[in-house]
Amino acid sequence: MISEMAKTCLVTGGAGFIGCALSTELPKHFDRVVAMDNMHPQVHANATRPGDLDERVELLVGDVTSGDDWDRILADVAPSTVIHLAAETGTGQSLTEASRHAEVNVVGTTQMLDAFTRNGKLPERIVLTSSRAVYGEGAWQDANGKIVYPGQRTRDMLDRAQWDFPGLTVLPFNSSTVVADPTSVYGSTKLAQEHIIRAWSLAMKVTPVIFRLQNVYGPGQSLTNPYTGILPFFAQKARSGDSIPVYEDGDIVRDFVYINDVASAIVSGALNSGGNKFAYDIGSGSGTTILQVAEIIASIYDAPRPTINGMFRDGDVRAASCTITDSQSALDWSPKVSVTDGVARLCHWIDTGERS
């Protein structure tokens, strides 16, 4: 375990949703916490310091893809722990802006590692927040119990409204048993991040800690960025008295995990993990259909029932949830906020305008 009050923690993308959620806890364990962020307008409309970023955290503006920015920051910062959050995250957007996603997620990661070597500032540990998107459609099971990997749903399937794979039942993700097989450019870049960080870290005697996050939501997430989650969009539709539009047949499954639960898992991994051969799956531990969560939000606002519209988005997977038993045991961690309670908290935050 890292000794408390003796280390420096550098958080890339540290002014974002997850970075702000981490910012109140990290200063309790590190004597210096630095957030590096490029303040991208898609996330930060006003390019100003977020009010949710704890005042004890230093904010340094810099782009992970810039070697010059890295050299400037590392001239003054010698991180013992790095929490690498900086990423482009849009599944659909990555299909039309593949170069941007690869530049930030892949090249931004290699620029970071090169800068550590170039400046002689190797950290003791690198924590990466990867994504459930690396699994793609994941593993499914047939009637005889055989595990199969059907791969990406084809455009022809989706055009015919064939949402599932006939005769197969989806299984929850687990990094030790389910093969990663991304169906999006975004997911592919996140898997590349994992491989790069693990290979480099093990060669450099740095401890790699990898997390695969499910659908993170809660107070503090962007209400203007269309690529960071559907729940704020659903809430704003319902607040306006509109029926929430639900894609496919409504039975898309996601594992919605509350931001505070994600933050506590990351802090535990940053402080206590000796490194993991298999990524830590972080979710609520159960799946919820998109229709179910839309109905929860509609009921909060007394809005019309959600409307299933049969539309779809290229690159989306049918079902995504995970088993968290291994992560719970390794991290001494468990999620505490249910989807119903978490969605209510998110809606309250939106309604009260308690945001920066």
Side-chain angles (χ1 to χ4, degrees), residues 256-311:
F256 294 101
V257 57
Y258 194 66
I259 180 60
N260 292 16
D261 290 331
V262 172
S264 65
I266 294 172
V267 170
S268 179
L271 296 177
N272 303 316
S273 175
N276 52 337
K277 178 180 179 181
F278 300 109
Y280 295 125
D281 291 297
I282 302 298
S284 70
S286 62
T288 304
T289 69
I290 298 300
L291 179 58
Q292 286 173 330
V293 77
E295 289 174 338
I296 292 171
I297 293 174
S299 68
I300 289 173
Y301 292 106
D302 196 24
R305 287 183 56 82
T307 301
I308 297 174
N309 59 21
M311 297 176 65

Short mmCIF file of all heavy atoms in Angstrom, two decimals, residues 256-311:
data_model
loop_
_atom_site.label_atom_id
_atom_site.label_comp_id
_atom_site.label_asym_id
_atom_site.label_seq_id
_atom_site.Cartn_x
_atom_site.Cartn_y
_atom_site.Cartn_z
N PHE A 256 -25.79 0.43 -15.29
CA PHE A 256 -25.61 1.81 -14.88
C PHE A 256 -25.00 1.84 -13.48
O PHE A 256 -25.58 1.32 -12.52
CB PHE A 256 -26.95 2.56 -14.89
CG PHE A 256 -27.53 2.71 -16.25
CD1 PHE A 256 -28.56 1.88 -16.69
CD2 PHE A 256 -27.06 3.69 -17.12
CE1 PHE A 256 -29.10 2.01 -17.95
CE2 PHE A 256 -27.60 3.82 -18.39
CZ PHE A 256 -28.62 2.99 -18.81
N VAL A 257 -23.82 2.46 -13.36
CA VAL A 257 -23.11 2.49 -12.09
C VAL A 257 -22.91 3.94 -11.66
O VAL A 257 -22.46 4.77 -12.45
CB VAL A 257 -21.78 1.72 -12.17
CG1 VAL A 257 -20.87 2.26 -13.27
CG2 VAL A 257 -21.06 1.71 -10.83
N TYR A 258 -23.25 4.23 -10.42
CA TYR A 258 -23.27 5.59 -9.91
C TYR A 258 -21.85 6.13 -9.72
O TYR A 258 -20.93 5.42 -9.32
CB TYR A 258 -24.03 5.61 -8.58
CG TYR A 258 -24.41 6.98 -8.09
CD1 TYR A 258 -25.34 7.75 -8.78
CD2 TYR A 258 -23.86 7.50 -6.92
CE1 TYR A 258 -25.71 9.00 -8.32
CE2 TYR A 258 -24.23 8.74 -6.44
CZ TYR A 258 -25.16 9.50 -7.15
OH TYR A 258 -25.52 10.74 -6.69
N ILE A 259 -21.68 7.40 -9.98
CA ILE A 259 -20.37 8.03 -9.99
C ILE A 259 -19.61 7.85 -8.68
O ILE A 259 -18.40 7.59 -8.67
CB ILE A 259 -20.49 9.54 -10.36
CG1 ILE A 259 -19.12 10.22 -10.38
CG2 ILE A 259 -21.46 10.25 -9.46
CD1 ILE A 259 -18.12 9.65 -11.35
N ASN A 260 -20.27 7.99 -7.55
CA ASN A 260 -19.59 7.83 -6.26
C ASN A 260 -19.03 6.42 -6.09
O ASN A 260 -17.96 6.23 -5.50
CB ASN A 260 -20.52 8.17 -5.10
CG ASN A 260 -20.89 9.63 -5.05
OD1 ASN A 260 -20.69 10.36 -6.02
ND2 ASN A 260 -21.42 10.08 -3.93
N ASP A 261 -19.77 5.43 -6.59
CA ASP A 261 -19.30 4.05 -6.50
C ASP A 261 -18.08 3.84 -7.38
O ASP A 261 -17.15 3.10 -7.02
CB ASP A 261 -20.42 3.09 -6.89
CG ASP A 261 -21.54 3.04 -5.86
OD1 ASP A 261 -21.25 3.26 -4.67
OD2 ASP A 261 -22.70 2.78 -6.24
N VAL A 262 -18.07 4.46 -8.55
CA VAL A 262 -16.92 4.37 -9.44
C VAL A 262 -15.70 5.03 -8.80
O VAL A 262 -14.59 4.48 -8.81
CB VAL A 262 -17.23 5.01 -10.80
CG1 VAL A 262 -15.99 5.11 -11.67
CG2 VAL A 262 -18.32 4.22 -11.52
N ALA A 263 -15.91 6.22 -8.25
CA ALA A 263 -14.79 6.95 -7.64
C ALA A 263 -14.18 6.15 -6.49
O ALA A 263 -12.95 6.09 -6.35
CB ALA A 263 -15.27 8.31 -7.15
N SER A 264 -15.00 5.53 -5.67
CA SER A 264 -14.46 4.78 -4.53
C SER A 264 -13.67 3.57 -5.01
O SER A 264 -12.65 3.21 -4.40
CB SER A 264 -15.59 4.35 -3.59
OG SER A 264 -16.48 3.43 -4.20
N ALA A 265 -14.09 2.94 -6.10
CA ALA A 265 -13.34 1.81 -6.65
C ALA A 265 -11.98 2.26 -7.17
O ALA A 265 -10.95 1.60 -6.93
CB ALA A 265 -14.14 1.14 -7.76
N ILE A 266 -11.95 3.39 -7.88
CA ILE A 266 -10.69 3.88 -8.45
C ILE A 266 -9.72 4.27 -7.35
O ILE A 266 -8.52 3.96 -7.41
CB ILE A 266 -10.96 5.06 -9.39
CG1 ILE A 266 -11.75 4.60 -10.62
CG2 ILE A 266 -9.65 5.72 -9.83
CD1 ILE A 266 -12.22 5.73 -11.52
N VAL A 267 -10.22 4.94 -6.32
CA VAL A 267 -9.34 5.32 -5.21
C VAL A 267 -8.77 4.08 -4.53
O VAL A 267 -7.57 4.02 -4.21
CB VAL A 267 -10.10 6.20 -4.19
CG1 VAL A 267 -9.27 6.38 -2.92
CG2 VAL A 267 -10.43 7.55 -4.79
N SER A 268 -9.58 3.07 -4.34
CA SER A 268 -9.10 1.84 -3.73
C SER A 268 -8.01 1.21 -4.58
O SER A 268 -6.97 0.77 -4.07
CB SER A 268 -10.25 0.86 -3.53
OG SER A 268 -9.79 -0.36 -2.97
N GLY A 269 -8.22 1.18 -5.89
CA GLY A 269 -7.20 0.61 -6.77
C GLY A 269 -5.93 1.43 -6.80
O GLY A 269 -4.82 0.88 -6.87
N ALA A 270 -6.08 2.75 -6.73
CA ALA A 270 -4.91 3.63 -6.76
C ALA A 270 -4.07 3.50 -5.50
O ALA A 270 -2.85 3.69 -5.53
CB ALA A 270 -5.36 5.09 -6.93
N LEU A 271 -4.69 3.15 -4.39
CA LEU A 271 -3.98 3.07 -3.12
C LEU A 271 -3.52 1.67 -2.76
O LEU A 271 -2.44 1.48 -2.19
CB LEU A 271 -4.88 3.59 -1.99
CG LEU A 271 -5.29 5.06 -2.05
CD1 LEU A 271 -6.23 5.38 -0.90
CD2 LEU A 271 -4.08 5.97 -2.01
N ASN A 272 -4.33 0.68 -3.10
CA ASN A 272 -4.12 -0.64 -2.53
C ASN A 272 -3.78 -1.75 -3.51
O ASN A 272 -3.24 -2.78 -3.11
CB ASN A 272 -5.37 -1.08 -1.75
CG ASN A 272 -5.76 -0.09 -0.67
OD1 ASN A 272 -4.90 0.38 0.06
ND2 ASN A 272 -7.04 0.24 -0.58
N SER A 273 -4.12 -1.58 -4.77
CA SER A 273 -3.95 -2.68 -5.71
C SER A 273 -2.47 -2.94 -6.01
O SER A 273 -1.70 -2.01 -6.26
CB SER A 273 -4.68 -2.39 -7.02
OG SER A 273 -4.41 -3.42 -7.96
N GLY A 274 -2.10 -4.21 -6.00
CA GLY A 274 -0.75 -4.59 -6.39
C GLY A 274 -0.62 -4.79 -7.88
O GLY A 274 0.38 -5.33 -8.36
N GLY A 275 -1.63 -4.35 -8.62
CA GLY A 275 -1.65 -4.59 -10.06
C GLY A 275 -2.56 -5.76 -10.37
O GLY A 275 -2.74 -6.66 -9.55
N ASN A 276 -3.14 -5.75 -11.56
CA ASN A 276 -4.09 -6.82 -11.89
C ASN A 276 -3.82 -7.40 -13.26
O ASN A 276 -3.66 -6.68 -14.25
CB ASN A 276 -5.54 -6.33 -11.78
CG ASN A 276 -5.82 -5.05 -12.57
OD1 ASN A 276 -4.92 -4.27 -12.86
ND2 ASN A 276 -7.07 -4.85 -12.93
N LYS A 277 -3.74 -8.73 -13.32
CA LYS A 277 -3.58 -9.42 -14.59
C LYS A 277 -4.81 -9.23 -15.44
O LYS A 277 -4.73 -9.00 -16.65
CB LYS A 277 -3.33 -10.91 -14.35
CG LYS A 277 -3.19 -11.72 -15.62
CD LYS A 277 -2.94 -13.19 -15.33
CE LYS A 277 -2.83 -14.01 -16.61
NZ LYS A 277 -2.60 -15.45 -16.32
N PHE A 278 -5.97 -9.33 -14.80
CA PHE A 278 -7.24 -9.09 -15.48
C PHE A 278 -7.81 -7.77 -14.99
O PHE A 278 -7.68 -7.41 -13.83
CB PHE A 278 -8.23 -10.23 -15.19
CG PHE A 278 -7.75 -11.57 -15.64
CD1 PHE A 278 -7.36 -12.53 -14.71
CD2 PHE A 278 -7.68 -11.87 -16.99
CE1 PHE A 278 -6.91 -13.77 -15.12
CE2 PHE A 278 -7.23 -13.12 -17.41
CZ PHE A 278 -6.85 -14.07 -16.48
N ALA A 279 -8.46 -7.04 -15.90
CA ALA A 279 -9.01 -5.74 -15.54
C ALA A 279 -10.10 -5.88 -14.49
O ALA A 279 -10.80 -6.90 -14.42
CB ALA A 279 -9.58 -5.06 -16.78
N TYR A 280 -10.24 -4.85 -13.66
CA TYR A 280 -11.32 -4.81 -12.69
C TYR A 280 -12.60 -4.35 -13.39
O TYR A 280 -12.65 -3.25 -13.95
CB TYR A 280 -11.00 -3.84 -11.56
CG TYR A 280 -9.84 -4.24 -10.70
CD1 TYR A 280 -8.77 -3.36 -10.51
CD2 TYR A 280 -9.79 -5.49 -10.06
CE1 TYR A 280 -7.69 -3.72 -9.71
CE2 TYR A 280 -8.71 -5.85 -9.27
CZ TYR A 280 -7.66 -4.96 -9.10
OH TYR A 280 -6.59 -5.31 -8.30
N ASP A 281 -13.62 -5.19 -13.39
CA ASP A 281 -14.93 -4.81 -13.93
C ASP A 281 -15.66 -4.02 -12.86
O ASP A 281 -15.88 -4.50 -11.75
CB ASP A 281 -15.74 -6.06 -14.30
CG ASP A 281 -15.15 -6.80 -15.50
OD1 ASP A 281 -15.11 -6.20 -16.58
OD2 ASP A 281 -14.73 -7.96 -15.34
N ILE A 282 -16.07 -2.80 -13.22
CA ILE A 282 -16.74 -1.92 -12.27
C ILE A 282 -18.13 -1.57 -12.78
O ILE A 282 -18.28 -0.88 -13.80
CB ILE A 282 -15.93 -0.63 -12.03
CG1 ILE A 282 -14.53 -0.98 -11.53
CG2 ILE A 282 -16.66 0.28 -11.05
CD1 ILE A 282 -14.48 -1.72 -10.21
N GLY A 283 -19.13 -2.06 -12.10
CA GLY A 283 -20.52 -1.77 -12.45
C GLY A 283 -21.38 -1.93 -11.21
O GLY A 283 -20.87 -2.06 -10.09
N SER A 284 -22.67 -1.91 -11.43
CA SER A 284 -23.59 -2.12 -10.31
C SER A 284 -23.75 -3.60 -9.99
O SER A 284 -24.22 -3.97 -8.92
CB SER A 284 -24.97 -1.53 -10.65
OG SER A 284 -25.60 -2.31 -11.66
N GLY A 285 -23.37 -4.43 -10.96
CA GLY A 285 -23.50 -5.87 -10.78
C GLY A 285 -24.77 -6.44 -11.37
O GLY A 285 -25.01 -7.64 -11.29
N SER A 286 -25.59 -5.58 -11.99
CA SER A 286 -26.82 -6.07 -12.63
C SER A 286 -27.16 -5.18 -13.82
O SER A 286 -26.79 -4.01 -13.86
CB SER A 286 -27.99 -6.10 -11.64
OG SER A 286 -28.27 -4.79 -11.17
N GLY A 287 -27.86 -5.76 -14.77
CA GLY A 287 -28.25 -5.02 -15.96
C GLY A 287 -29.64 -4.44 -15.84
O GLY A 287 -30.51 -4.98 -15.15
N THR A 288 -29.86 -3.33 -16.51
CA THR A 288 -31.16 -2.66 -16.57
C THR A 288 -31.46 -2.35 -18.03
O THR A 288 -30.58 -1.89 -18.75
CB THR A 288 -31.14 -1.33 -15.78
OG1 THR A 288 -30.74 -1.59 -14.44
CG2 THR A 288 -32.51 -0.67 -15.78
N THR A 289 -32.68 -2.61 -18.48
CA THR A 289 -32.99 -2.29 -19.87
C THR A 289 -33.17 -0.77 -20.02
O THR A 289 -33.51 -0.07 -19.06
CB THR A 289 -34.26 -2.98 -20.36
OG1 THR A 289 -35.41 -2.42 -19.71
CG2 THR A 289 -34.20 -4.49 -20.12
N ILE A 290 -32.95 -0.31 -21.22
CA ILE A 290 -33.12 1.11 -21.51
C ILE A 290 -34.58 1.53 -21.27
O ILE A 290 -34.84 2.63 -20.77
CB ILE A 290 -32.70 1.42 -22.95
CG1 ILE A 290 -31.22 1.09 -23.14
CG2 ILE A 290 -32.96 2.89 -23.29
CD1 ILE A 290 -30.29 1.87 -22.24
N LEU A 291 -35.51 0.65 -21.59
CA LEU A 291 -36.92 0.98 -21.35
C LEU A 291 -37.17 1.12 -19.84
O LEU A 291 -37.90 2.04 -19.42
CB LEU A 291 -37.83 -0.10 -21.93
CG LEU A 291 -39.32 0.10 -21.71
CD1 LEU A 291 -39.79 1.43 -22.28
CD2 LEU A 291 -40.13 -1.05 -22.31
N GLN A 292 -36.61 0.24 -19.03
CA GLN A 292 -36.82 0.33 -17.59
C GLN A 292 -36.32 1.64 -17.02
O GLN A 292 -37.00 2.29 -16.23
CB GLN A 292 -36.10 -0.84 -16.90
CG GLN A 292 -36.78 -2.18 -17.07
CD GLN A 292 -35.95 -3.32 -16.52
OE1 GLN A 292 -34.72 -3.27 -16.51
NE2 GLN A 292 -36.62 -4.38 -16.06
N VAL A 293 -35.11 2.06 -17.43
CA VAL A 293 -34.58 3.31 -16.88
C VAL A 293 -35.34 4.51 -17.42
O VAL A 293 -35.53 5.51 -16.71
CB VAL A 293 -33.06 3.41 -17.15
CG1 VAL A 293 -32.76 3.81 -18.58
CG2 VAL A 293 -32.40 4.38 -16.19
N ALA A 294 -35.83 4.43 -18.65
CA ALA A 294 -36.66 5.50 -19.20
C ALA A 294 -37.97 5.61 -18.43
O ALA A 294 -38.46 6.72 -18.16
CB ALA A 294 -36.93 5.25 -20.68
N GLU A 295 -38.54 4.48 -18.04
CA GLU A 295 -39.78 4.49 -17.26
C GLU A 295 -39.55 5.08 -15.87
O GLU A 295 -40.41 5.80 -15.34
CB GLU A 295 -40.34 3.07 -17.17
CG GLU A 295 -40.91 2.57 -18.49
CD GLU A 295 -41.34 1.12 -18.43
OE1 GLU A 295 -40.85 0.37 -17.55
OE2 GLU A 295 -42.17 0.72 -19.28
N ILE A 296 -38.40 4.79 -15.26
CA ILE A 296 -38.07 5.38 -13.95
C ILE A 296 -38.04 6.89 -14.06
O ILE A 296 -38.61 7.62 -13.23
CB ILE A 296 -36.72 4.84 -13.44
CG1 ILE A 296 -36.82 3.35 -13.10
CG2 ILE A 296 -36.26 5.63 -12.22
CD1 ILE A 296 -35.49 2.70 -12.79
N ILE A 297 -37.37 7.40 -15.08
CA ILE A 297 -37.24 8.84 -15.25
C ILE A 297 -38.59 9.48 -15.59
O ILE A 297 -38.95 10.54 -15.07
CB ILE A 297 -36.19 9.16 -16.32
CG1 ILE A 297 -34.80 8.73 -15.82
CG2 ILE A 297 -36.20 10.65 -16.70
CD1 ILE A 297 -33.70 8.85 -16.84
N ALA A 298 -39.36 8.83 -16.46
CA ALA A 298 -40.67 9.37 -16.81
C ALA A 298 -41.57 9.47 -15.59
O ALA A 298 -42.32 10.45 -15.43
CB ALA A 298 -41.33 8.49 -17.88
N SER A 299 -41.46 8.49 -14.68
CA SER A 299 -42.31 8.52 -13.48
C SER A 299 -41.89 9.64 -12.54
O SER A 299 -42.73 10.24 -11.87
CB SER A 299 -42.25 7.17 -12.77
OG SER A 299 -40.96 6.93 -12.22
N ILE A 300 -40.61 9.96 -12.49
CA ILE A 300 -40.13 11.04 -11.63
C ILE A 300 -40.76 12.36 -12.05
O ILE A 300 -41.14 13.19 -11.21
CB ILE A 300 -38.59 11.12 -11.68
CG1 ILE A 300 -37.97 9.92 -10.95
CG2 ILE A 300 -38.08 12.44 -11.07
CD1 ILE A 300 -36.47 9.82 -11.08
N TYR A 301 -40.89 12.57 -13.35
CA TYR A 301 -41.40 13.85 -13.87
C TYR A 301 -42.88 13.78 -14.27
O TYR A 301 -43.40 14.77 -14.81
CB TYR A 301 -40.55 14.28 -15.07
CG TYR A 301 -39.14 14.65 -14.69
CD1 TYR A 301 -38.08 13.81 -14.99
CD2 TYR A 301 -38.88 15.83 -14.01
CE1 TYR A 301 -36.78 14.14 -14.63
CE2 TYR A 301 -37.59 16.18 -13.64
CZ TYR A 301 -36.54 15.33 -13.96
OH TYR A 301 -35.25 15.67 -13.61
N ASP A 302 -43.51 12.63 -14.03
CA ASP A 302 -44.91 12.45 -14.45
C ASP A 302 -45.05 12.76 -15.93
O ASP A 302 -45.99 13.42 -16.37
CB ASP A 302 -45.84 13.34 -13.62
CG ASP A 302 -47.31 12.92 -13.74
OD1 ASP A 302 -47.54 11.73 -14.05
OD2 ASP A 302 -48.19 13.77 -13.56
N ALA A 303 -44.09 12.29 -16.70
CA ALA A 303 -44.06 12.52 -18.15
C ALA A 303 -44.81 11.39 -18.86
O ALA A 303 -45.11 10.35 -18.25
CB ALA A 303 -42.61 12.57 -18.63
N PRO A 304 -45.12 11.57 -20.14
CA PRO A 304 -45.76 10.49 -20.89
C PRO A 304 -44.88 9.23 -20.92
O PRO A 304 -43.67 9.31 -20.73
CB PRO A 304 -45.90 11.08 -22.31
CG PRO A 304 -45.85 12.55 -22.12
CD PRO A 304 -44.95 12.79 -20.95
N ARG A 305 -45.49 8.11 -21.13
CA ARG A 305 -44.74 6.86 -21.22
C ARG A 305 -43.70 6.95 -22.33
O ARG A 305 -43.93 7.58 -23.35
CB ARG A 305 -45.67 5.68 -21.49
CG ARG A 305 -46.52 5.28 -20.30
CD ARG A 305 -47.36 4.04 -20.64
NE ARG A 305 -46.53 2.92 -21.08
CZ ARG A 305 -45.89 2.09 -20.26
NH1 ARG A 305 -45.97 2.27 -18.94
NH2 ARG A 305 -45.18 1.09 -20.74
N PRO A 306 -42.55 6.33 -22.14
CA PRO A 306 -41.52 6.32 -23.19
C PRO A 306 -42.05 5.71 -24.48
O PRO A 306 -42.95 4.85 -24.45
CB PRO A 306 -40.41 5.45 -22.58
CG PRO A 306 -40.61 5.57 -21.10
CD PRO A 306 -42.10 5.65 -20.91
N THR A 307 -41.50 6.14 -25.58
CA THR A 307 -41.92 5.66 -26.89
C THR A 307 -40.81 4.81 -27.51
O THR A 307 -39.69 5.30 -27.71
CB THR A 307 -42.22 6.84 -27.83
OG1 THR A 307 -43.25 7.64 -27.26
CG2 THR A 307 -42.65 6.34 -29.20
N ILE A 308 -41.10 3.57 -27.80
CA ILE A 308 -40.14 2.70 -28.48
C ILE A 308 -40.21 3.01 -29.97
O ILE A 308 -41.25 2.85 -30.60
CB ILE A 308 -40.46 1.23 -28.22
CG1 ILE A 308 -40.34 0.92 -26.72
CG2 ILE A 308 -39.55 0.32 -29.03
CD1 ILE A 308 -40.78 -0.48 -26.33
N ASN A 309 -39.10 3.49 -30.53
CA ASN A 309 -39.14 3.98 -31.91
C ASN A 309 -38.45 3.08 -32.93
O ASN A 309 -38.49 3.37 -34.14
CB ASN A 309 -38.54 5.39 -31.99
CG ASN A 309 -37.10 5.46 -31.52
OD1 ASN A 309 -36.40 4.45 -31.49
ND2 ASN A 309 -36.66 6.65 -31.16
N GLY A 310 -37.81 2.01 -32.49
CA GLY A 310 -37.19 1.09 -33.43
C GLY A 310 -35.93 1.61 -34.10
O GLY A 310 -35.37 0.92 -34.96
N MET A 311 -35.47 2.78 -33.72
CA MET A 311 -34.23 3.31 -34.27
C MET A 311 -33.04 2.61 -33.62
O MET A 311 -33.17 1.93 -32.61
CB MET A 311 -34.15 4.82 -34.06
CG MET A 311 -35.24 5.60 -34.77
SD MET A 311 -35.18 7.38 -34.41
CE MET A 311 -33.60 7.82 -35.16
#
